[in-house]
């Protein structure tokens, strides 16, 4: 409690965007991965509110892929009500814990929300995979724009810096999406860091840095590079405190050996 400065939210691309243990080891930044597979925007909203109950969140990193998912008919309302119920009831929200216990299953080893994955599957598609001649800009679906405004307003009210970013993912991103998110960021006066247009700067190796077919998700090798890319920005633009050497944060150092093993 009271130790997380940076919260990372979004769908499965957020899950593999940063490794908080190395971000602390190398930069002294305390961060936490609070995304999940197929996380919807309204889930991201409640994840931020949940974390802010107990943590002095200064920056929210939002991996923007879940913003492109349109929900049909009454689905946004149903999901919204269900997520509100989960936010209010811990028994419902953390159902996987008691369900796994009842079924005799274990829980994966998390390191501040990150799960280590060293599997390697080379990306064999076109490089570069973005068509810079494309000028169309993707429009955020109205149901997602509504939740975006809720997150934007909440972060503003709580004094949290909201930062939009995208993980290098040939499977998930194209130039039209890049243009749309650039437009959105400019409209709201936010920073948008798109790893898809900065793969060289990040140092992405398409033969070694993905764990699944089609260049979808980064493996540990790629995550380390993305972590450094985002951490450089956080240090440069967000004025975050370096907590290394502070006895109150010894637990972060203590998990290093387990993580490295």
């Amino acid at each position: 409690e009271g130790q997380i400065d940076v919260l990372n939210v979004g769908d499965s691309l957020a899950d593999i965007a940063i490794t908080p243990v190395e971000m602390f080891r190398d930069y002294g930044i305390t961060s936490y991965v609070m995304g999940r597979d197929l996380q919807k925007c309204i889930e991201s909203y409640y994840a931020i509110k949940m974390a802010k109950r107990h943590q002095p969140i200064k920056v929210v990193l939002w991996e923007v892929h879940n913003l492109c998912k349109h929900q049909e008919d009454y689905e946004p309302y149903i999901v919204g009500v269900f997520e509100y119920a989960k936010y209010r009831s811990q028994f419902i929200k953390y159902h996987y814990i008691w369900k796994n216990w009842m079924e005799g299953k274990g829980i994966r080893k998390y390191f501040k929300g990150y799960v280590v994955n060293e599997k390697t599957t080379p990306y064999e598609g076109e490089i570069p995979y973005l068509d810079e001649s494309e000028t169309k800009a993707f429009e955020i679906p109205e149901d997602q724009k509504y939740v975006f405004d809720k997150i934007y307003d909440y972060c503003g009210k709580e004094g949290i810096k909201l930062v939009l970013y995208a993980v290098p993912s040939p499977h998930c991103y194209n130039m039209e999406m890049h243009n749309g998110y650039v437009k959105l960021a400019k409209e709201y006066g936010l920073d948008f860091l798109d790893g898809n247009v900065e793969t060289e700067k990040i140092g992405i190796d398409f033969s070694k840095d993905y764990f699944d077919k089609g260049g979808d998700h980064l493996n540990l090798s790629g995550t380390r590079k993305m972590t450094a890319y985002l951490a450089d920005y956080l240090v440069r633009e967000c004025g975050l405190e370096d907590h290394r050497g502070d006895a109150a944060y010894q637990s972060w150092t203590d998990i290093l050996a387990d993580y490295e093993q």
Side-chain angles (χ1 to χ4, degrees):
E1 186 165 348
Q3 293 203 334
I4 307 297
D5 289 342
V6 178
L7 189 71
N8 177 44
V9 298
D11 62 19
S12 59
L13 293 182
D15 283 350
I16 48 77
I18 63 170
T19 167
V21 175
E22 295 194 23
M23 188 174 279
F24 179 81
R25 181 193 67 193
D26 299 336
Y27 298 87
I29 296 172
T30 52
S31 60
Y32 197 91
V33 177
M34 210 164 174
R36 77 164 187 89
D37 294 354
L38 302 176
Q39 183 178 87
K40 294 179 174 64
C41 293
I42 193 66
E43 291 181 86
S44 298
Y45 170 68
Y46 284 117
I48 296 167
K49 290 189 70 174
M50 179 68 69
K52 193 66 176 70
R53 286 182 178 181
H54 306 283
Q55 302 294 343
I57 307 299
K58 298 176 177 64
V59 179
V60 165
L61 293 174
W62 185 357
E63 211 294 329
V64 292
H65 184 252
N66 64 354
L67 261 173
C68 73
K69 302 296 182 64
H70 173 62
Q71 297 171 262
E72 299 292 338
D73 302 323
Y74 293 104
E75 186 182 359
Y77 307 102
I78 295 170
V79 171
V81 170
F82 185 62
E83 290 306 318
Y84 178 78
K86 288 203 296 182
Y87 176 67
R88 291 296 179 187
S89 171
Q90 303 307 294
F91 183 76
I92 298 174
K93 181 174 181 62
Y94 298 109
H95 61 89
Y96 64 91
I97 295 177
W98 54 263
K99 283 174 66 178
N100 283 348
W101 177 76
M102 291 177 67
E103 295 171 3
K105 298 178 181 178
I107 297 177
R108 292 183 297 179
K109 183 69 174 179
Y110 289 91
F111 293 95
K112 307 298 184 181
Y114 175 69
V115 177
V116 176
N117 189 327
E118 296 185 273
K119 180 182 176 182
T120 300
T121 303
Y123 168 64
E124 298 176 348
E126 292 186 11
I127 303 173
Y129 55 88
L130 296 185
D131 180 4
E132 295 188 4
S133 66
E134 177 62 75
T135 58
K136 289 182 182 178
F138 169 77
E139 292 291 336
I140 308 300
E142 287 188 12
D143 51 325
Q144 306 296 32
K145 187 77 178 305
Y146 169 76
V147 182
F148 178 88
D149 286 335
K150 287 176 70 71
I151 291 177
Y152 174 82
D153 291 342
Y154 179 79
C155 288
K157 182 184 71 174
E158 296 294 333
I160 299 170
K161 183 178 177 65
L162 178 61
V163 179
L164 310 180
Y165 78 98
V167 167
S169 177
H171 178 78
C172 293
Y173 284 105
N174 56 45
M175 201 65 194
E176 187 174 343
M177 293 172 70
H178 167 80
N179 294 337
Y181 290 127
V182 168
K183 179 182 176 182
L184 179 72
K186 286 182 178 179
E187 180 183 346
Y188 283 80
L190 301 173
D191 290 341
F192 172 50
L193 311 175
D194 192 349
N196 296 280
V197 298
E198 298 204 271
T199 53
E200 289 188 16
K201 180 178 180 179
I202 297 169
I204 295 296
D205 184 335
F206 290 96
S207 67
K208 298 179 180 179
D209 291 342
Y210 292 89
F211 71 71
D212 47 11
K213 191 174 181 181
D216 194 355
H217 299 90
L218 297 173
N219 58 19
L220 177 61
S221 172
T223 298
R224 282 176 164 155
K225 296 172 183 179
M226 192 67 188
T227 298
Y229 170 72
L230 291 172
D232 285 340
Y233 165 85
L234 292 170
V235 170
R236 188 175 66 251
E237 300 293 337
C238 300
L240 297 174
E241 186 178 352
D242 184 343
H243 295 293
R244 289 173 294 184
D246 187 335
Y249 294 81
Q250 182 61 37
S251 65
W252 289 76
T253 302
D254 290 343
I255 65 172
L256 265 173
D258 192 18
Y259 172 81
E260 289 170 353
Q261 181 183 9

